[in-house]
Amino acid sequence: MGERTAFRTCPLCEALCGLELTLDGSGRVTRVRGDEHDPFSKGFICPKGATLGSLDGDPDRLAEPLVRKGDEHAPASWDEAFEAVRAGIAGVVERHGRDAVAVYVGNPTAHSIAGPLYVGALVKALGTRNLYTASTVDQMPKHTSCGHMFGDLLAIPVPDLDRTDHLLMLGANPLESNGSLCSAPDFPGRLKAIRARGGKVTVVDPRRTRTAALADEHLFIRPGTDAFFLIALVHTLFAEDLVSGPPDGPDGPRANGLDDLRALVADFAPERVADVTGVPAGVIRRTARELAAAPRAAVYGRMGTTTQAFGTVNSWLVDVLNALTGNLDRPGGAMFPKPAHVPAYRRRRPFTTGRWRSRVHGLPEVNGELPVATLADEIETPGDGQVRALITIGGNPALSAPNSARLDRAFAGLEFMVSVDPYLNETTRHASVVLPPPRPVQTPHYDISLTALAVRNYARYSPPAVPLDGRPSEAEIIARLASQASGTDGDPAALDDAIIASTLAKAAAHEGSPVHGRDPGEMHAMLAGSGTPAERRLDMMLRLGPYGDAFGAVPDGLTLGRLRTDHPHGVDLGALEPRLGEVLCTASGRVELCPPPLAADVDRLRAALADGPHTGTVLIGRRHLRSNNSWLHNVPELVRGSNTCTLHLHPDDASRLGVAAGDGVRVTSRAGSVEAVAEPTDTIMPGVVSLPHGWGHDRPGTRTGVARRHPGVNVNAVTDERDIDPPSGTAVLNGVPVTLERVG
Ligand SMILES: Nc1nc2c(c(=O)[nH]1)N[C@H]1C(S)=C(S)[C@@H](COP(=O)(O)OP(=O)(O)OC[C@H]3O[C@@H](n4cnc5c(=O)[nH]c(N)nc54)[C@H](O)[C@@H]3O)O[C@H]1N2
Ligand SMILES: Nc1nc2c(c(=O)[nH]1)N[C@H]1C(S)=C(S)[C@@H](COP(=O)(O)OP(=O)(O)OC[C@H]3O[C@@H](n4cnc5c(=O)[nH]c(N)nc54)[C@H](O)[C@@H]3O)O[C@H]1N2
Ligand code: SF4
Ligand SMILES: [Mo]
């Protein structure tokens, strides 16, 4: 059999690049190129996408389930493995109750169909309140601020990169990360285009990153102090009478809280925050004036602003700035995407947090989750409701969570653990049973989470390029776990049918829906030919969606079938359009500019300002283009070359410590310490050091041979699980106080 070509979306990061894969007769990927016909990515590809073939064919990738016997993991059949899971979970629930089973869901799950479609059902079937995800080491502050401001934690405005004249970007490095909470293939090219059309890009970062080097202006800022900078910008807009938004809507004011906000920021003049932030007052004032003067501007903050002490306040003030400059929901400003699979008529209940609290430290639930920073507490602390079993799905918290050394020890003490994961790695080595999902090319793809964050409205479905050969898809694995947890362990497809039936019944009953008054049973029957149960659900979502065929009522509307056959390279659904009225679901029906829970956190900010500038050394993170969190270090092409897991420190700090490039430096915090290799560089501020995360592949019992030869060190041995952003429960991974000492 000869070569063939298959097209699909790259599943590795948020940029949604289309790929053109060449496969040989045996289904092996022999070449990967950017898909030139993808209307969104237009052929763009990065080194990770280009090595998808190596990842796909990695000999360390698990082909069959593993069951733990003593210290060893042995291969098992799918039936044996699922039976072991059923018995293990049922036993823990019987002995200790439902909350004794915790679930941790990691990053790749946000890129799959299986995660968004089935994890909710699994957690519901388990009936546990112990849900943890990578969101609380990532973007939960943005969900929290958007929940309070717009009523919906998924209503996240994205910078309209292709039409803006002015981009103020904080704590983001898209030249390495390719963008986050802003899906934009070829983010670097889109930034260059802003400058080429006469616009301005400003980057605020404690490091002069590749993104900062591309920008018109780079402002060094002390880690963890963005909230002071942002609130002083808001102050300046009020003080200098530069507030021009948000504009009124058809029925009067669109926003509440303008006066409260003005009063709240009154004592944060730029002159008061200059010392703490390291940004001169004159520069802060000028930045505010430029933002106000730009015809179309967007403020955008990412990891550096969310995973730090004031993550939620930062995320809120970013959108306050967008609103006050009239740029919220306006072309070239910060806009709400309209994804194809989300019905536009649906209203969520107004956002709230704290419906329950964590057992040990009383931390509030946000979006049904508890902070992963407190998972070790919940496993280690005896008493009613203690976590005794864990299900991980696509996560590696033994490396990715703060004080992960403690979490790693806690995992070893669990009674039972299941991991849905293709690798035996630092986390899954603790699992009693490992259930490996199929290879990427065997996995269907549609970005349920990320098309809701894209800078153009866009949809693409990639069917599997290689058949499954009898192994279950990831959707089937998680559906089966859900079915077991609900006590039936019957046909997992029954779960999909129940979800489809209830969604269609609601849609038919909803007056604003395009299928109002229709017969749910008849619509259900129309999905019969759509494919697997997951595909039927996706088809239903697309048909109810804003571009959908409304089950035949809109003859040329979108269906999964049309997406597959008419648009194998994806379909461009147009530039973002104003739609604030559609997304708002606060109780007041207006944008809340000064939500009380966020305003209350400004007291903490005020107290920190009174403490004055932090004088010690602080640790921050960084990302590299050829890496992706913890799990691409087993791809030989990506770890080739010089070691990137080094400690960046300013040359002045290096000489004070007496260390040169290549010397060992011990980095110590309250939580722990790590010994890293020094790389002095003037791209980082004095008093700040940086280590990338996702490394530390030297644990026993793993099966990732390449990564083991390039282990690096684990920065999360130093980050502190006690330090979180209170409104969101998100870990402080940037701005960790540390001490340094030369080794050897
Ligand atoms: N190559 C690669 N791409 C990735 C990933 C990866 O690991 N590697 N991971 C993916 C994931 S999961 C995510 S969430 C995204 C993240 O995407 P980004 O947020 O763009 O990624 P980072 O490179 O972490 O950028 C954070 C920046 O914040 C800076 N910073 C640190 N502390 C502070 C601070 O206190 N204030 C300010 N203003 N800046 C600060 C850091 O120096 C860094 O440059 O990337 C995704 N893409
Ligand atoms: N200090 C510090 N820590 C950080 C960060 C930081 O910037 N600094 N970044 C944080 C961020 S933004 C994130 S998102 C988290 C990530 O934290 P996690 O999600 O916990 O960790 P990952 O490294 O993404 O691990 C992904 C896991 O999914 C598995 N996997 C890969 N593909 C699939 C698949 O198709 N299906 C399934 N089921 N599994 C799959 C991999 O083998 C791996 O075990 O790390 C966070 N930790
Ligand atoms: S930028 Fe992201 S989506 Fe595009 S090829 Fe690279 S890893 Fe894949
Ligand atoms: Mo992330």
Side-chain angles (χ1 to χ4, degrees):
M1 246 205 309
E3 281 195 342
R4 64 195 170 93
T5 303
F7 298 97
R8 64 163 300 140
T9 305
C10 175
L12 297 178
C13 90
E14 300 180 40
L16 310 181
C17 299
L19 303 180
E20 181 192 318
L21 310 178
T22 307
L23 298 120
D24 69 12
S26 68
R28 198 170 60 89
V29 179
T30 53
R31 189 174 64 184
V32 184
R33 292 197 298 192
D35 178 359
E36 285 174 9
H37 300 291
D38 183 299
F40 198 19
S41 64
K42 298 182 175 141
F44 181 82
I45 189 170
C46 87
K48 291 193 298 260
T51 53
L52 188 73
S54 293
L55 180 71
D56 190 75
D58 186 346
D60 284 338
R61 175 178 284 276
L62 302 174
E64 53 198 342
L66 298 178
V67 173
R68 198 185 162 93
K69 307 219 164 77
D71 278 347
E72 296 285 308
H73 280 95
S77 73
W78 284 96
D79 283 342
E80 286 164 354
F82 273 115
E83 177 46 29
V85 174
R86 196 204 51 75
I89 296 291
V92 168
V93 169
E94 227 172 82
R95 290 191 295 279
H96 309 291
R98 295 197 162 268
D99 284 331
V101 183
V103 178
Y104 174 83
V105 184
N107 174 271
T109 314
H111 299 253
S112 73
I113 295 184
L117 290 186
Y118 295 94
V119 168
L122 170 60
V123 174
K124 199 167 158 198
L126 286 167
T128 177
R129 290 186 161 187
N130 277 299
L131 171 64
Y132 303 81
T133 82
S135 293
T136 53
V137 278
D138 189 349
Q139 84 289 359
M140 193 60 103
K142 194 73 205 178
H143 290 307
T144 307
S145 74
C146 289
H148 287 303
M149 286 183 85
F150 310 122
D152 179 357
L153 85 176
L154 295 177
I156 297 179
V158 301
D160 186 9
L161 291 183
D162 296 345
R163 289 181 291 182
T164 197
D165 303 307
H166 189 98
L167 181 65
L168 174 60
M169 186 161 33
L170 305 97
N173 188 9
L175 264 80
E176 306 281 357
S177 71
N178 281 301
S180 181
L181 296 188
C182 175
S183 286
D186 192 14
F187 207 126
R190 291 173 202 262
L191 289 180
K192 286 179 199 149
I194 297 176
R195 300 194 59 200
R197 60 178 178 264
K200 178 170 181 179
V201 177
T202 301
V203 169
V204 183
D205 198 301
R207 298 186 304 121
R208 188 171 65 249
T209 59
R210 285 177 58 215
T211 307
L214 177 151
D216 297 87
E217 187 173 7
H218 169 222
L219 306 178
F220 279 111
I221 190 166
R222 290 282 305 169
T225 68
D226 298 76
F228 300 104
F229 174 76
L230 291 164
I231 206 165
L233 292 177
V234 177
H235 170 101
T236 307
L237 293 181
F238 281 117
E240 302 192 1
D241 211 10
L242 298 172
V243 172
S244 62
D248 286 350
D251 316 310
R254 264 281 165 80
N256 284 332
L258 196 64
D259 293 333
D260 293 341
L261 188 66
R262 182 187 292 112
L264 187 75
V265 305
D267 54 344
F268 287 98
E271 291 69 22
R272 284 201 63 210
V273 306
D275 279 356
V276 171
T277 57
V279 186
V283 174
I284 301 177
R285 285 190 185 276
R286 176 172 55 77
T287 304
R289 289 173 196 147
E290 287 176 359
L291 195 59
R296 300 175 296 184
V299 186
Y300 164 66
R302 212 33 212 101
M303 272 301 279
T305 61
T306 54
T307 48
Q308 52 135 297
F310 294 100
T312 305
V313 167
N314 289 333
S315 302
W316 162 50
L317 294 175
V318 160
D319 287 326
V320 162
L321 287 167
N322 284 320
L324 296 187
T325 52
N327 285 301
L328 181 68
D329 198 37
R330 153 167 112 177
M335 303 192 76
F336 300 96
K338 183 147 117 179
H341 60 280
V342 182
Y345 60 86
R346 197 188 54 180
R347 278 289 172 283
R348 298 167 69 98
R349 250 173 275 141
F351 173 76
T352 170
T353 71
R355 291 166 297 173
W356 60 88
R357 288 182 174 264
S358 72
R359 181 180 61 103
V360 178
H361 289 301
L363 302 172
E365 146 288 326
V366 181
N367 194 24
E369 300 179 22
L370 297 171
V372 68
T374 200
L375 177 54
D377 298 316
E378 296 295 330
I379 298 174
E380 286 176 348
T381 312
D384 225 22
Q386 181 182 3
V387 169
R388 317 280 190 139
L390 176 67
I391 302 177
T392 71
I393 304 176
N396 195 0
L399 290 185
S400 60
N403 197 349
S404 53
R406 178 179 170 206
L407 201 52
D408 187 54
R409 287 192 301 275
F411 289 165
L414 288 165
E415 288 180 21
F416 192 75
M417 178 167 159
V418 190
S419 292
V420 180
D421 203 290
Y423 284 106
L424 193 63
N425 64 16
E426 297 74 18
T427 294
T428 62
R429 72 194 177 109
H430 295 293
S432 323
V433 181
V434 184
L435 303 171
R439 292 156 52 193
V441 296
Q442 293 176 306
T443 303
H445 194 90
Y446 175 96
D447 275 284
I448 291 179
S449 312
L450 300 174
T451 49
L453 297 160
V455 299
R456 284 189 75 86
N457 293 317
Y458 163 86
R460 180 168 181 153
Y461 179 71
S462 322
V466 172
L468 280 169
D469 298 332
R471 65 190 285 183
S473 69
E474 181 155 18
E476 285 161 347
I477 294 173
I478 306 176
R480 177 93 187 259
L481 295 179
S483 164
Q484 289 186 335
S486 67
T488 57
D489 204 4
D491 177 11
L495 175 82
D496 297 279
D497 279 321
I499 292 172
I500 290 172
S502 97
T503 309
L504 289 176
K506 278 188 216 149
H510 195 295
E511 279 195 23
S513 118
V515 296
H516 178 57
R518 298 270 298 274
D519 174 5
E522 189 191 305
M523 293 191 284
H524 201 147
M526 289 171 76
L527 298 169
S530 316
T532 62
E535 286 173 328
R536 280 191 279 136
R537 281 178 61 195
L538 187 57
D539 191 27
M540 171 186 71
M541 292 159 77
L542 291 169
R543 299 176 88 164
L544 293 175
Y547 317 92
D549 86 331
F551 287 85
V554 181
D556 54 355
L558 211 55
T559 64
L560 183 62
R562 290 208 176 103
L563 201 51
R564 280 179 89 140
T565 50
D566 300 352
H567 307 286
H569 306 281
V571 57
D572 180 46
L573 300 165
L576 304 186
E577 285 171 16
R579 63 184 302 252
L580 182 60
E582 264 173 19
V583 304
L584 264 185
C585 53
T586 50
S588 65
R590 294 183 183 171
V591 175
E592 295 295 345
L593 288 175
C594 196
L598 305 185
D601 206 30
V602 172
D603 289 344
R604 197 164 56 93
L605 196 65
R606 215 169 258 123
L609 189 59
D611 288 346
H614 178 81
T615 47
T617 304
V618 290
L619 171 73
I620 63 173
R622 71 175 186 272
R623 283 176 161 74
H624 288 275
L625 187 59
R626 301 167 81 84
S627 177
N628 192 25
N629 299 330
S630 73
W631 66 282
L632 290 191
H633 303 150
N634 213 53
V635 177
E637 294 91 327
L638 296 179
V639 289
R640 205 171 277 156
S642 58
N643 174 20
T644 52
C645 186
T646 55
L647 185 78
H648 281 187
L649 76 174
H650 193 273
D652 293 351
D653 292 329
S655 59
R656 196 155 11 85
L657 277 174
V659 302
D663 288 350
V665 179
R666 178 157 292 283
V667 184
T668 305
S669 71
R670 184 207 69 85
S673 86
V674 79
E675 193 183 312
V677 176
E679 185 179 346
T681 163
D682 68 2
T683 58
I684 195 162
M685 288 175 90
V688 184
V689 296
S690 161
L691 266 177
H693 71 285
W695 298 90
H697 306 296
D698 53 0
R699 310 278 97 191
T702 62
R703 239 181 253 174
T704 49
V706 178
R708 173 171 296 284
R709 290 194 292 281
H710 304 267
V713 298
N714 178 11
V715 66
N716 284 322
V718 180
T719 54
D720 191 339
E721 84 281 21
R722 289 198 200 156
D723 208 1
I724 60 168
D725 166 55
S728 68
T730 303
V732 175
L733 305 172
N734 288 296
V736 180
V738 291
T739 54
L740 306 178
E741 114 198 67
R742 182 167 180 247
V743 209

